[in-house]
Amino acid sequence: MSTQTRGSMVAQSTETQVETQPPAPRSRDNAAGRMGDKVFAGICLGAGILILVVLAGVAAFLLRDAVPAILASPEELGRETSFWGYVWPLVVGTLIASGIAIVVATPVAIGIALFISHYAPKRLSQPLGYMIDLLAAIPSVVYGLWGATFFGPLLVPMYAWLAENASFIPIFGPTYSAAGRTLLTASLVLAVMILPIVTSLSRELFLQTPKLHEEAALALGATRWEMIKAAVFPFARAGVISAIMLGLGRALGETMAVTLVLSQGPLTANLLNAGNSTIPAEIALNFPEAFGLRQSELIAAGLVLFVITLVVNMLARAIVSRYKEFSGAN
Amino acid sequence: MSKSIEAIDLNVYYGDFLAVEGVNVKIEPRTVVAFIGPSGCGKTTFLRTMNRMHEVLPGATVKGQLLLDQENIYGSAVDPVRVRSKVGMVFQRPNPFPTMTIRDNVLAGFRLNGIRMGRKQADEIVERSLKGANLWNEVKDRLDKPGSGLSGGQQQRLCIARTIAVQPEVILMDEPCSALDPISTLAVEDLIGELKEHFTIVIVTHNMQQASRVSDKTAFFNIAGTGKPGRLIEFDYTDKIFSNPTEKATEDYITGRFG
């Protein structure tokens, strides 16, 4: 309604203009501008809708193909338990691997990011930043090969030591894998893989801290570390949480590296020996030979992973919005 | 308590570039001194050397002496962090910490310096500082709201409260009213008049009326041309500078003949 009235008013004024001064290039420009506005708004709306459609499509596909396995009885599945009995050890394995990865990677990533943004001299910080970005460009299959053939064996002496001295903690021993192809190795490889994304996002955020806030802290007699605590961290908090969640999302869904590194098996508390598995690795290993109900079962496992990732993202959103009032955006 | 500041043959550099040359000036305790002059003449640069904020920028250095009650703050054994907790600074644009409440903003100087205190003592400091900044009545019911939710003028007075909370010897103000409306400006100027009972105040301003309203003495800085260093041209009582300046350049500037 209102746009129509405005449109007609503009049309009227153009008419009067035409009478007084024949060529009216300004109003023609405006008309083109309005058209461009509409086209651009349409493209944006379309893109937004497309994302929703794709997401809904994936969810619908997963649901349709997963339902038979979820509803099937243990006899039909050919195992002792129902689908849930099958999937929960995989969920636990996935969460443990991603959890260890994020716990190991986050402090290192934030440390590197801070070093690059606030401590290193410019000559050093630039190449260091590029190198971190390069880490992100390594294909995951290469990480897998590196983890299985080099990094895993490298960790074996540490595993042996842990099994000998720390086996009173159930996750360390008493037995250990002589090949190093364990869930702990896989977790550490995942940690290296998500390091670049968390680091480079955090670095960007740290660099964007307003000079004004940094100087406010310094002028109050803050040391560099105190200034970082008072000005840099609060400013970057929401963004760093998002970066960590992005890293977690990557760790949860990482397939190739875990498949190659981990010598899979049933769920076990001992992280130093073969065993355990994650949802993506389980799917990747078994899907080529799966058909019928088994295929449906693997798709259902994929659905569970999809839900976990969704929940993780929603949690991140909730955490970020809790600090909204204090974000400085108002 | 309040201290005097004296610059002796002070040269300020950005890398190899000499930005301010040969400043000699003595500022008495419990007075307000205004720095005026055209843009780029080095007023702000010189101001920032007075609490060693200048050297935060990469490559920025200072030669010469700057005495805070006889003690050279550029002495080799002096920690810049300690200087800054004695010489507070208010910036051109209000910069309360956005993630902190009004209360925490006032206490930020103590928190940063790792000083712990009881709730009662903290309350007293918050009230005293906010009253000192003429802000208490406006915010006393919303101390737990974010400082960034206040108006620009209130934010600037919050920054002043944050600065005076730690009881500095000297307060430096870098065009504190340039982002404020006339009413807020008046509030800050009134405040400066009250603050000088306890603090030495140095204020950079582009507004000559403001300089004449708030300051006891005025320093006029000028620059011979682009690429040349800024210099202190004249430093005298504000009345004298604005009525009967000694230097021709000062007279030209204050009468609006250039700049």
Side-chain angles (χ1 to χ4, degrees):
Chain A
M1 266 291 279
S2 67
T3 44
Q4 269 183 353
T5 7
R6 214 190 309 156
S8 63
M9 270 169 62
V10 172
Q12 275 174 9
S13 68
T14 340
E15 275 168 22
T16 49
Q17 263 184 1
V18 168
E19 281 171 13
T20 47
Q21 33 177 267
R26 257 191 74 87
S27 63
R28 233 190 31 233
D29 279 358
N30 284 347
R34 276 203 307 282
M35 197 55 215
D37 244 16
K38 273 184 190 150
V39 170
F40 188 67
I43 292 173
C44 289
L45 183 69
I49 290 172
L50 189 69
I51 286 176
L52 287 179
V53 168
V54 168
L55 201 67
V58 170
F61 151 77
L62 284 174
L63 261 178
R64 190 198 68 195
D65 286 21
V67 164
I70 294 174
L71 296 179
S73 65
E75 297 85 61
E76 284 173 296
L77 287 170
R79 60 174 89 244
E80 287 165 16
T81 61
S82 71
F83 166 72
W84 299 112
Y86 160 71
V87 84
W88 80 261
L90 296 174
V91 171
V92 173
T94 309
L95 291 179
I96 289 177
S98 317
I100 295 175
I102 209 76
V103 166
V104 171
T106 301
V108 179
I110 290 178
I112 298 173
L114 260 188
F115 179 72
I116 295 174
S117 67
H118 282 84
Y119 283 90
K122 219 180 181 82
R123 265 181 324 177
L124 198 65
S125 67
Q126 285 267 342
L128 207 61
Y130 288 133
M131 257 165 61
I132 297 289
D133 288 346
L134 264 181
L135 270 183
I138 300 175
S140 63
V141 66
V142 174
Y143 273 112
L145 294 170
W146 170 75
T149 59
F150 177 78
F151 190 54
L154 197 72
L155 290 174
V156 169
M158 186 187 90
Y159 289 166
W161 186 88
L162 279 173
E164 198 170 311
N165 297 298
S167 61
F168 56 91
I169 308 170
I171 59 169
F172 298 131
T175 58
Y176 68 94
S177 156
R181 300 180 61 176
T182 72
L183 193 66
L184 193 55
T185 309
S187 308
L188 294 176
V189 172
L190 283 180
V192 178
M193 292 180 71
I194 62 179
L195 198 62
I197 187 164
V198 184
T199 305
S200 48
L201 285 174
S202 304
R203 181 195 56 191
E204 285 307 313
L205 288 158
F206 293 158
L207 284 174
Q208 280 169 18
T209 312
K211 272 275 159 309
L212 217 54
H213 294 152
E214 294 185 3
E215 293 196 338
L218 290 175
L220 283 168
T223 61
R224 189 157 12 181
W225 171 238
E226 287 163 349
M227 179 272 282
I228 287 168
K229 280 192 292 184
V232 178
F233 282 160
F235 174 80
R237 176 167 49 200
V240 169
I241 292 173
S242 304
I244 292 171
M245 290 302 158
L246 268 176
L248 188 57
R250 175 151 195 215
L252 284 169
E254 178 49 45
T255 312
M256 213 54 221
V258 179
T259 312
L260 289 178
V261 170
L262 184 61
S263 167
Q264 288 171 308
L267 184 70
T268 151
N270 183 2
L271 296 182
L272 300 187
N273 211 337
N276 295 318
S277 188
T278 70
I279 293 177
E282 173 81 5
I283 296 174
L285 274 178
N286 295 300
F287 203 76
E289 289 131 39
F291 58 91
L293 212 52
R294 176 67 177 140
Q295 190 177 1
S296 164
E297 197 175 40
L298 292 173
I299 290 172
L303 178 67
V304 171
L305 185 66
F306 182 75
V307 171
I308 293 175
T309 326
L310 211 64
V311 169
V312 164
N313 273 303
M314 276 156 65
L315 269 178
R317 292 263 161 218
I319 295 171
V320 169
S321 68
R322 241 181 59 198
Y323 294 112
K324 208 178 233 156
E325 200 186 2
F326 288 96
S327 70
N330 44 358
Chain B
M1 274 275 80
S2 164
K3 288 187 175 175
S4 68
I5 319 172
E6 186 175 4
I8 301 169
D9 292 332
L10 200 79
N11 290 346
V12 191
Y13 298 85
Y14 289 107
D16 294 329
F17 174 67
L18 177 61
V20 181
E21 189 179 21
V23 176
N24 283 291
V25 71
K26 183 160 176 29
I27 296 168
E28 298 296 335
R30 291 196 198 88
T31 56
V32 180
V33 169
F35 289 176
I36 59 169
S39 293
C41 69
K43 318 180 285 292
T44 297
T45 301
F46 177 56
L47 188 81
R48 285 169 65 94
T49 61
M50 293 170 126
N51 65 344
R52 298 192 64 168
M53 281 297 285
H54 174 66
E55 65 204 72
V56 169
L57 303 169
T61 51
V62 171
K63 278 189 190 142
Q65 285 190 315
L66 217 156
L67 306 182
L68 188 67
D69 261 10
Q70 314 308 322
E71 188 201 2
N72 183 12
I73 65 168
Y74 284 94
S76 54
V78 177
D79 178 7
V81 169
R82 202 171 55 86
V83 171
R84 292 183 202 130
S85 59
K86 283 196 286 187
V87 183
M89 190 162 196
V90 177
F91 293 81
Q92 195 167 355
R93 277 173 46 211
N95 56 355
F97 295 116
T99 53
M100 292 185 192
T101 63
I102 292 171
R103 186 187 145 86
D104 287 344
N105 259 293
V106 177
L107 295 172
F110 296 95
R111 300 269 156 83
L112 283 174
N113 293 322
I115 297 165
R116 295 176 184 281
M117 64 183 91
R119 172 142 195 117
K120 192 157 166 285
Q121 198 192 351
D123 285 343
E124 275 169 22
I125 289 171
V126 169
E127 186 173 344
R128 191 194 66 216
S129 308
L130 286 172
K131 275 182 176 162
N134 285 339
L135 192 61
W136 175 250
N137 286 328
E138 289 157 70
V139 301
K140 65 182 175 199
D141 300 322
R142 45 173 172 160
L143 293 175
D144 288 326
K145 290 277 184 301
S148 50
L150 299 172
S151 76
Q154 290 172 327
Q155 286 189 25
Q156 192 63 300
R157 277 179 284 148
L158 177 60
C159 293
I160 294 174
R162 178 176 69 187
T163 306
I164 61 179
V166 290
Q167 296 282 326
E169 320 277 1
V170 179
I171 300 177
L172 309 176
M173 296 187 172
D174 182 9
E175 297 182 45
C177 301
S178 64
L180 305 185
D181 68 284
I183 308 263
S184 308
T185 300
L186 191 67
V188 172
E189 285 181 9
D190 287 345
L191 181 57
I192 291 171
E194 292 167 24
L195 291 175
K196 81 167 180 182
E197 289 172 25
H198 304 286
F199 306 101
T200 309
I201 296 173
V202 184
I203 177 172
V204 168
T205 177
H206 269 295
N207 181 333
M208 282 184 273
Q209 282 78 31
Q210 181 169 63
S212 65
R213 280 194 299 259
V214 302
S215 68
D216 302 307
K217 281 186 166 182
T218 297
F220 172 64
F221 286 78
N222 202 1
I223 186 168
T226 37
K228 301 257 174 59
R231 288 170 172 280
L232 174 63
I233 303 296
E234 189 170 355
F235 176 58
D236 212 326
Y237 288 100
T238 300
D239 295 342
K240 177 138 191 309
I241 291 272
F242 282 98
S243 59
N244 184 23
T246 314
E247 299 287 331
K248 176 97 173 42
T250 314
E251 190 179 344
D252 287 350
Y253 184 73
I254 59 161
T255 52
R257 238 168 279 164
F258 90 103

